[in-house]
Amino acid sequence: MSALVFASGTAFAENWDMSFAWPEGNFHVQNGIKFAEEVKKVTDGRVEITVHSGGALGLKGPEAMAAVRDGLVPIAEYSLEQQNGEVPFASLGAMPGLAMGYDETKTLSGIMRPHLDKIFAAYNQKLLYMVPWPGQAVYTKKPIESLADLKGYKLRGANARAVEFFDALGAAPVLLPWAEVVPSLASGVIDGVSTSSSSGVDGKFWEFMSHMSRFDWANPLSVVTVNLDAWKALSAGDQSAIDGLSKELEPKFWGISKLEDEKNLKKLTDNGMMISMLTPEMRKEIAAASEKIWTEFLQNAGPEAKEVVDVYRVKVGK
């Protein structure tokens, strides 16, 4: 899916197919389209990226990191935490109750980044940029007025940490990649979903559920990585240009994520979704459950994960 093609006025050009699991209207995909356009400009057409949305290249998400490593796709965007089967460290960006909100997530991602650079290099790829999702909410068919309302509730979690979290809160969580969420709602396999406001709009959740609770228990990170063999095939000048572009666009993409949350909350309410905030009592219960999950996770996640969490908690005072 990566090919050398002749570009008029240049030497040979690289053409990369870029995989996204999300539908074309999703803001991560739109960010990717913007990135592709700018890459073509800064490399004078020597690198062209074709964006494929909606899992068109066959990647649902959890297998994306391995696919980039093996060169099945030269470049992909994917949820970092869904790669925890390959790398436990990847769970940190979506650890329940650890980084809540954009500011805390920015601090955490900055501490994680040097470790991620090493991890991705070991998996034959390079991190170009990462952008958070809006805060993780809970979509249900009934209002969640206390955590007791979650007892036994069949709720989708996107990753292992989410499943542990909602299991600790008394729900009956099911691990599902995004591609299986809407079909599972339609068939009754699940009754609710934990995900962002963006995915709530993408999935038109108002067709299946009536309530959204603003748990905001994490802002999971999505990453864009490129296969190292494809990267090394570029000239030093084009590598430098794309590196610079990635650093320039990443903060802008974070701003788009924030605006996306505001826009999608309005779309959800306009389509009849009832949105509620957590009570102080629920926040305390969530904090207690989260602390237990961090402790258990860090026992097996390696010294790098513990180092990141220790530094982060000092910085934010948690």
Side-chain angles (χ1 to χ4, degrees):
M1 295 182 186
S2 176
L4 287 173
V5 297
F6 187 75
S8 178
T10 71
F12 285 93
E14 286 284 347
N15 192 332
W16 293 345
D17 290 299
M18 187 177 188
S19 173
F20 285 82
W22 329 115
E24 186 172 344
N26 182 275
F27 78 99
H28 284 298
V29 180
Q30 292 302 307
N31 285 347
I33 291 172
K34 173 67 173 176
F35 177 71
E37 291 171 349
E38 295 301 316
V39 164
K40 185 174 181 179
K41 290 179 185 177
V42 300
T43 62
D44 293 325
R46 288 182 296 274
V47 181
E48 294 194 23
I49 298 174
T50 302
V51 170
H52 299 268
S53 60
L57 296 183
L59 301 183
K60 293 181 179 179
E63 67 273 28
M65 185 176 181
V68 175
R69 177 195 63 198
D70 297 339
L72 298 179
V73 293
I75 184 170
E77 187 275 356
Y78 51 89
S79 291
L80 178 62
E81 84 280 357
Q82 289 187 353
Q83 315 312 308
N84 63 344
E86 294 279 347
V87 181
F89 184 92
S91 289
L92 276 181
M95 192 61 58
L98 182 60
M100 299 176 71
Y102 286 96
D103 290 343
E104 290 187 358
T105 301
K106 187 67 174 176
T107 299
L108 179 63
S109 67
I111 301 168
M112 290 174 64
R113 191 158 205 140
H115 299 283
L116 287 172
D117 286 337
K118 293 178 182 177
I119 288 169
F120 283 124
Y123 274 75
N124 194 37
Q125 56 205 282
K126 173 182 171 60
L127 173 63
L128 293 176
Y129 65 82
M130 57 181 167
V131 181
W133 288 90
Q136 294 292 284
V138 175
Y139 296 84
T140 54
K141 297 178 179 179
K142 62 181 183 180
I144 303 300
E145 297 174 346
S146 73
L147 293 186
D149 293 325
L150 284 176
K151 186 173 177 60
Y153 203 81
K154 293 185 295 182
L155 186 72
R156 175 260 186 172
N159 55 74
R161 300 286 83 78
V163 170
E164 291 175 3
F165 177 56
F166 286 104
D167 185 62
L169 297 184
V174 179
L175 181 63
L176 288 175
W178 172 251
E180 297 177 23
V181 171
V182 173
S184 295
L185 281 169
S187 65
V189 170
I190 54 174
D191 295 318
V193 180
S194 178
T195 192
S196 67
S197 58
S198 299
S199 294
V201 170
D202 287 344
K204 297 182 179 179
F205 282 178
W206 52 82
E207 295 180 357
F208 307 97
M209 297 166 288
S210 56
H211 288 76
M212 175 209 204
S213 298
R214 294 282 292 179
F215 273 50
D216 285 348
W217 55 270
N219 287 69
L221 297 164
S222 269
V223 298
V224 169
T225 67
V226 59
N227 174 273
L228 272 183
D229 299 317
W231 179 254
K232 290 175 181 176
L234 305 182
S235 69
D238 285 344
Q239 289 177 358
S240 178
I242 295 172
D243 259 336
L245 176 65
S246 299
K247 290 181 174 65
E248 176 189 338
L249 289 179
E250 183 171 307
K252 295 179 181 179
F253 289 163
W254 279 63
I256 288 171
S257 177
K258 293 180 182 180
L259 291 174
E260 177 78 4
D261 193 30
E262 297 171 8
K263 178 182 72 175
N264 283 325
L265 288 172
K266 184 177 186 304
K267 281 186 181 178
L268 290 166
T269 55
D270 286 349
N271 281 281
M273 188 76 69
M274 302 294 293
I275 299 176
S276 62
M277 306 299 290
L278 292 177
T279 66
E281 182 182 38
M282 291 169 72
R283 285 190 175 277
K284 288 180 182 178
E285 292 179 80
I286 287 171
S290 299
E291 184 84 26
K292 181 180 178 183
I293 291 171
W294 303 349
T295 302
E296 292 178 355
F297 168 76
L298 292 174
Q299 288 174 353
N300 302 303
E304 295 86 0
K306 185 177 187 307
E307 177 187 336
V308 167
V309 172
D310 288 346
V311 172
Y312 167 78
R313 294 185 78 173
V314 169
K315 281 197 172 186
V316 300
K318 280 197 174 184

